[in-house]
Structure formats: C-alpha cells, structure tokens
Amino acid sequence: EAFAKISERDERVGAYLTLNEEGARAEAARLDNKLAGGEARGLLFGLPVGIKDNMVTEGLRTTCASQFLSNYDPIYDATAVAKLKQAEAVTIGKLNMDEFAMGGSNENSSFHPVRNPWDLNRVPGGSSGGSAAAVAAGEAYFTLGSDTGGSIRQPASYCGVVGLKPTYGLVSRYGLVAFASSLDQIGPITKNVEDSAYVLQAIAGHDHKDSTSANVDVPDYLAALTGDIKGLRIAVPKEYLEGVDPQVKASVMEALKVLEGMGAVWEEVSLPHTEYAVAAYYLLASSEASSNLSRFDGVRYGVRSDHAGNLLDLYLESRSQGFGPEVKRRIMLGTYALSSGYYDAYYLKAQKVRTLIKRDFDQTFEKYDVIIGPTAPTTAFQLGSQVDDPLTMYLNDILTIPVSLAGVPAISVPCGFADGLPVGLQIIGKAFDESSVLRVAHAFE
Ligand code: GLN
C-alpha cells in the first residue's frame, strides 16, 4: 500500500531519495511466514517506515541529500534503525532533507526540493521535510527525523502531523551523520500521538556506542496516555506569542482553552533570554558543523575529485564540488567563530548564553509541568520565497531552537488551520519527562 501511494504521489511530493522495494518485500514475506507460524510479534510488526537520509542503513544508499555522499552505501545500521528492525518495522526507503540537515524548508536538498502535500506550491519545512511530507501524504506509516534546532517539530507543524524531539541523550546518535553533536536528536514523525509513543518506546534507551547516550530507565510511554490532565500546570511564555502570525496565535489560544476545559491551568511566564537563542544557536551549531564536516575530505567517504594534482587540491576540489552553498556558509561561519582570537568573543560567549537559556527552562519547570506555545511563528511559506534570505529563514526556528539548546523534550501536534494550512502546538517538558509531553499531547488531540 505504501509503495502504491509512493508511485501515485511521490513524483509531485518528492519525499523519497531512495526506495528499498526489493528489500522491503523480502522482509514483508518473512514477516508473513512468521505470522502464519503464530510466533510472537515485534512492537512495530510489519509497519512500513521511511528513514531520514542522514541515518546510515546497511547496504542502502545514505546521501544526507548531498552530492558529496551521492555514492555512499554504509556497511552498518544506525542504532535507531537497528532498533526499528528488532521491533519488526519494514524500511521502505530513505527520505529527502536539507543537505546535512542544514535548513528549514527542504530547499537545500542537492537533489530536489520536497513539496508540502497540503499545497504543492509551499515548503514542507525542514530539515526533515521528506519525513514529514511522507507521513502527511500517506507514503509511510511513520518516519524517523532528526532535530538539531527544530527539524522534526517545524516540518511536522507545516505538514499537519505529530513530531517528537526527545530529550538529548534518550535516543542513540550512533549512525546519525553528525551536524551539531551537542544538539542532534533522532525522533518519530507520526500521524498521531499514540503512534509517537510506540515508536519512541522502540528507539529509546542507552547505547554504549554513543558516549552521550543517557543511562536512564525507559518508562512505559503508552501507560502515560491516560487522557487525564486535571491539575496540570502550564506555562505560556510571552516571548513565544510575540511576532507570531495572528491566526497561528488564535489557534494556540483556542488550544489552551481546550486544555483548560480538561482541568489544566495556565499562566503567562517569561523566558527572558529567548531573544538571544537564534544567534547563540547559529554560532554553536555552525562551529560544531565545521568540525564534524572536516571528515568529508574526498579520501574517506563519498565522491572524490578526479582532477586534483596533489593532496591539498584533492581536499579543496572535493569539498568545493561536494558541498552546496548553505553547507559552505556554515563551515565558514563555524571556522571563523572557532579561530584563535575570536573564540572567546563568539563560541565561548554563545556557550554562556546557552547556559542562561537552559536556566530559564529550569526555573520555569520548578513551578510548571509543561511549557506550551506555537511550534513556528507562521504556517508553511511559498517555495522560493526565502531562499535568498538566510537570516529570515533562520528566524523561522525562533520557537524551536531554545528547546534544543536546553536539551529538553518537545512535541508538535496539529492544533488547527490558518487559511487552510496546518498549525502546530508545541508542548515542552522537563528533561526525560517524555511521558508528560505525550500525555498532554494525547489528551489534547
Ligand atoms: N533550521 C535549523 C538549521 O538550519 C535547524 C536544522 C535542524 O534542526 N537540523 O540549522
């Protein structure tokens, strides 16, 4: 059914970069046999899943939507992918994205953009645009995305689906091609909150192959979906409602009324360092990216320039040809911020701002169970309308970036429409309290 939808729709949507039709059919046949034998079934038995193309998949092309990796076939599975296999989900293909996950509209894919299934002239968001569009178009039962500054939540919001960014460290990053290692997290994009809880259950947990993976017990997320939020204390940051499209704001206020009707109470609060989040993020994420992407040298991975006369030219030519403009911009920005003489003024300063932002969250969570606001300031914008203006593009992430810097979990759930386009509600929780985030989202939905 998923492949039928893909052949019917994906020429227009552009969500997939690689299909795994033969492999998926073989796995489905194996599961069919198992079913006939009456054996115990995995948690996600037989569900077709699409994987963002920055997670490595054994023998299945993994490009990060970059020309640099256009010929790269990994020899192992990312831990999250291996865990889905253990749960007996079936990988049907790899999903389009912004190159190396840098972007917020999917227009930075070096292959082709993704289009929003609600309006094909609009972006699906990014960088996990293919992951969100595939679920919205019925081209996968669920997908995995990755979120560094909003890349699961913002496309989920634009495409009217559910996207969860777990607490930093809850899901292993082993086999996720690193963009900004202190921020990157893998998470599910699904049609509804219950599915999100199922997928998180399958992929969460400690992994000795990732040194930043947290050694915590994984609770029963499905047990958290009680429908009961009586007495829940909600904080609504005033900074998250400033500069937001009036129709988006109206949808969020309406959602708060619904939650109030279920026995929750909400109050306006202030997260005073919000205005510095975007600047701090772009310094930190670019610095980490400039270091992480130095491994792409034309020697070890992917495409190698074939007319370089010496080693330095080989690096230079391979990197000049292999990376697109946004990736180059970030590498240059990050290299500059880390240079001696500038380090204290930019990188170190941004780290200090990150601590202050985290403190805003810590203080708010002393009094409140969850923080709620919009996921993005607007709905999906027109393709091409912001490509020449990186600063405007960066500002689309103003409401998701603070959460990433603080490392806490957050979900985006659909909460209405503005001019026929989906609006997302962002529910933010304490570190490792995915249960509350899911419970509130499920009760609301
Ligand atoms: N849009 C943000 C960026 O361009 C976030 C990307 C992400 O979360 N991977 O960096």
Side-chain angles (χ1 to χ4, degrees), residues 82-313:
K83 286 192 168 204
L84 290 182
K85 274 191 186 165
Q86 261 165 32
E88 298 184 314
V90 180
T91 302
I92 55 172
K94 302 299 292 288
L95 292 158
N96 206 349
M97 53 186 279
D98 286 297
E99 185 177 7
F100 286 104
M102 298 173 189
S105 68
N106 226 112
E107 292 162 298
N108 296 337
S109 166
S110 79
F111 298 107
H112 51 82
V114 179
R115 292 169 180 275
N116 192 315
W118 293 87
D119 175 349
L120 295 172
N121 293 319
R122 290 179 188 266
V123 303
S127 63
S128 312
S131 300
V135 173
E139 297 179 17
Y141 195 85
F142 72 95
T143 60
L144 290 187
S146 72
D147 190 312
T148 303
S151 279
I152 290 176
R153 292 161 284 158
Q154 183 254 33
S157 169
Y158 286 4
C159 291
V161 294
V162 175
L164 172 66
K165 183 202 87 75
T167 308
Y168 181 79
L170 183 67
V171 177
S172 170
R173 292 184 297 111
Y174 181 71
L176 170 67
V177 178
F179 161 15
S181 314
S182 77
L183 296 156
D184 299 341
Q185 260 298 283
I186 293 172
I189 297 183
T190 54
K191 290 183 251 190
N192 59 47
V193 177
E194 190 181 0
D195 290 355
S196 186
Y198 269 101
V199 179
L200 185 65
Q201 200 77 52
I203 62 175
H206 183 241
D207 179 11
H208 67 87
K209 291 176 185 154
D210 170 5
S211 62
T212 59
S213 157
N215 204 343
V216 291
D217 288 332
V218 176
D220 181 348
Y221 296 118
L222 286 151
L225 309 183
T226 57
D228 181 9
I229 55 161
K230 230 174 267 123
L232 182 88
R233 295 161 305 168
I234 302 171
V236 179
K238 67 175 194 309
E239 293 82 1
Y240 287 22
L241 298 172
E242 286 162 7
V244 166
D245 174 277
Q247 289 193 63
V248 170
K249 184 172 169 180
S251 286
V252 170
M253 299 317 285
E254 208 47 53
L256 288 169
K257 247 187 237 159
V258 171
L259 293 166
E260 224 169 21
M262 301 174 80
V265 286
W266 69 270
E267 278 170 358
E268 199 170 274
V269 299
S270 174
L271 301 181
H273 297 95
T274 303
E275 63 173 305
Y276 307 110
V278 172
Y281 167 86
Y282 276 96
L283 283 168
L284 295 171
S286 302
S287 297
E288 292 184 28
S290 74
S291 165
N292 275 324
L293 270 61
S294 64
R295 76 194 62 190
F296 300 103
D297 56 7
V299 177
R300 285 172 288 189
Y301 303 90
V303 174
R304 171 182 302 186
S305 163
D306 53 11
H307 46 260
N310 59 48
L311 187 63
L312 271 184
D313 280 353

Side-chain angles (χ1 to χ4, degrees), residues 412-436:
S412 179
V413 278
C415 71
F417 290 89
D419 291 332
L421 295 167
V423 177
L425 184 73
Q426 184 172 216
I427 303 167
I428 306 163
K430 295 173 195 159
F432 299 106
D433 191 15
E434 276 74 8
S435 293
S436 293

